[in-house]
Amino acid sequence: MALFKLRDGAELYYEVHGSGPALFLVAGLGGDGRWWGDNVSGLAKNFTVVVHDHRGTARSSLSRIDYSVEQMADDALQLIEGLGYDKVHWCGHSTGGAMGQILAIEHPARIDRLVLSATWAKTDAFFRRLFEVRALMLRELGPAAYLKSSALALNSPSWVRDHDADLIAAEAKGLDTIPVPEIVLSRIAAIVAHDRREQLQKVTAPTLAVCARDDTVTPLYFTEELVRLIPGARAYVLPDGGHAYPNVHGAEFRRVMTAFLLES
């Protein structure tokens, strides 16, 4: 557990676990490395796992800047370099996957193998409308409504049915830790603007795209597009689990990813 100082003076909270090849495990829009839960300790059996909180979230600096996915990726690149890694495996979920696309395109020497989890190459009308609604909830109704609506978007109906008490506890905790709303809104605008569709053919890292069939935030067709556009990429689709499938089917997620990352 440590803080890494970025070039502009902002700080990123990060943790390093385990030993073996370096693996950056990068969370989505919420930006909190704790989102990965037991996946960190599970993957640390085979890898040196680095998790960090994005700038503007959780335990990192709550900078009031104009956020972009490029800026988020550059922050992570500074951390890679600052920790002394020449090359890392990258597993990015959702927004973390958008960041991974940028690094694999613009800094290919830094990315060994790339796992794109529940992410997208370019937004469409569905994605834009979804996040317009989420932003509207935060602006007009506040963080409590935003958290409740997010839980419905990120999780499958059956998971919500069976984990109501867990969600109540998580939402209460979230009210204590959610960043300044203006930061969240800027980060939402950043991910809606993400578009690397035309550059994905430049990706040279071996790539695995993973998603759940019932994801209603980044639907299956986004993963299918990534696999079409990235040379040699392959897909692994879980039957269910929603957008947060790594925490629903963690053992299977870790099994598939570990096998891919350790391939000779």
Side-chain angles (χ1 to χ4, degrees):
M1 304 178 191
L3 291 173
F4 174 77
K5 189 174 288 294
L6 298 164
R7 284 189 296 266
D8 64 1
E11 293 180 322
L12 293 184
Y13 176 91
Y14 73 95
E15 299 178 2
V16 181
H17 300 267
S19 61
L23 167 62
F24 266 58
L25 205 56
V26 186
L29 178 64
D32 191 328
R34 289 169 289 196
W35 181 84
W36 291 103
D38 293 340
N39 288 306
V40 175
S41 58
L43 290 165
K45 296 172 183 176
N46 292 290
F47 304 98
T48 299
V49 178
V50 181
V51 293
H52 77 283
D53 296 345
H54 300 193
R55 187 207 301 236
T57 76
R59 297 157 291 183
S60 292
S61 294
L62 301 182
S63 304
R64 288 169 170 79
I65 61 172
D66 288 329
Y67 285 84
S68 70
V69 180
E70 288 75 14
Q71 160 267 315
M72 299 175 204
D74 184 68
D75 284 355
L77 179 62
Q78 290 182 55
L79 180 59
I80 291 170
E81 294 172 342
L83 295 179
Y85 297 120
D86 292 327
K87 179 178 285 194
V88 302
H89 296 314
W90 180 282
C91 173
H93 183 77
S94 199
T95 300
M99 295 160 64
Q101 294 168 47
I102 290 169
L103 292 178
I105 291 165
E106 298 187 356
H107 303 278
R110 292 292 187 180
I111 303 299
D112 192 344
R113 285 178 174 260
L114 178 65
V115 179
L116 299 176
S117 173
T119 191
W120 72 100
K122 179 181 180 179
T123 54
D124 64 0
F126 170 79
F127 189 101
R128 173 179 52 78
R129 284 175 172 273
L130 172 65
F131 280 90
E132 283 176 350
V133 169
R134 293 182 69 185
L136 186 65
M137 294 282 282
L138 180 57
R139 264 197 313 269
E140 301 297 328
L141 299 178
Y146 174 79
L147 290 167
K148 281 188 174 293
S149 66
S150 296
L152 294 175
L154 300 176
N155 301 294
S156 66
S158 60
W159 192 92
V160 173
R161 176 196 66 200
D162 297 337
H163 295 83
D164 188 49
D166 295 332
L167 283 174
I168 290 171
E171 288 160 1
K173 184 177 180 181
L175 287 174
D176 294 331
T177 60
I178 193 168
V180 181
E182 71 183 77
I183 295 176
V184 180
L185 292 169
S186 181
R187 285 171 58 81
I188 288 174
I191 67 170
V192 171
H194 174 71
D195 177 6
R196 289 292 171 140
R197 182 183 285 164
E198 300 304 319
Q199 294 90 42
L200 284 175
Q201 76 277 3
K202 297 179 181 179
V203 174
T204 57
T207 301
L208 175 68
V210 188
C211 70
R213 190 171 297 277
D214 63 350
D215 187 341
T216 57
V217 175
T218 51
L220 174 60
Y221 61 77
F222 281 131
T223 291
E224 293 172 337
E225 180 176 58
L226 289 167
V227 172
R228 285 197 307 270
L229 295 176
I230 298 173
R234 68 185 93 157
Y236 186 84
V237 181
L238 286 92
D240 56 42
H243 192 62
Y245 79 88
N247 290 321
V248 178
H249 298 299
E252 180 67 359
F253 168 70
R254 294 190 297 272
R255 182 192 71 78
V256 170
M257 186 166 70
T258 297
F260 169 72
L261 295 179
L262 295 181
E263 278 180 1
S264 57

